[in-house]
Amino acid sequence: METVNLERLQQLIDSFANKDVFIHLETTNGAYAAHFDEKVFNAGVFIRNIVLQYELGKVTAEAPHRVGLKLANGGWVYAQGITHFEVDQEGRLLMAGLDYEGKLAVALEISEKPFAY
C-alpha cells in the first residue's frame, strides 16, 4: 500500500460513484488490546459485502484522512483515519488507516464484485 495521494485517491473514489458497489468497513483497536492492559476497552466494527450506491465520494486534505461516501438517500458512510491505499489485482480500492505502530485501525474497501469470505 502507498501513502495517501489526495488527487489519485479522489480519482479512484470518483470512479466507483453512481454504481452498485460492495463495501467492506472495519475498525478495531485490536482484539489483542485487552491482553496487554485489562483497562483497555476493546471496540470494533465490521461490515462486509453491503451493496450501496454513492453519488459523491470525498477525501479530506488533513492527514489522517476522512473518506466519506454520500448516498442518494442523504445518508453517509465514512471512515476516519485513512493513511494508505491501493488498487489490487481485482480492481478493488483498498484503503487503510495504520496506527503509529503500523497496525490496522480502520479499513474501507470498495469493489464492483463481492469480497470473498
Side-chain angles (χ1 to χ4, degrees), residues 16-101:
F16 288 95
N18 300 306
K19 299 178 183 177
D20 284 341
V21 292
F22 294 85
I23 298 293
H24 172 86
L25 177 62
E26 177 178 355
T27 64
T28 182
N29 63 353
Y32 49 82
H35 295 288
F36 297 113
D37 184 348
E38 63 186 31
K39 296 176 186 162
V40 172
F41 181 78
N42 183 27
V45 171
F46 182 92
I47 63 170
R48 191 167 184 85
N49 288 327
I50 302 301
V51 179
L52 57 80
Q53 191 174 116
Y54 61 91
E55 60 185 23
L56 173 69
K58 186 72 177 162
V59 56
T60 61
E62 309 83 36
H65 307 276
R66 175 183 287 180
V67 173
L69 308 175
K70 183 177 186 273
L71 310 182
N73 68 2
W76 282 87
V77 171
Y78 78 86
Q80 175 70 40
I82 299 296
T83 58
H84 293 77
F85 78 105
E86 73 178 19
V87 175
D88 72 3
Q89 66 276 10
E90 296 184 43
R92 302 177 299 194
L93 175 56
L94 311 178
M95 296 168 277
L98 306 179
D99 70 12
Y100 301 112
E101 296 177 356

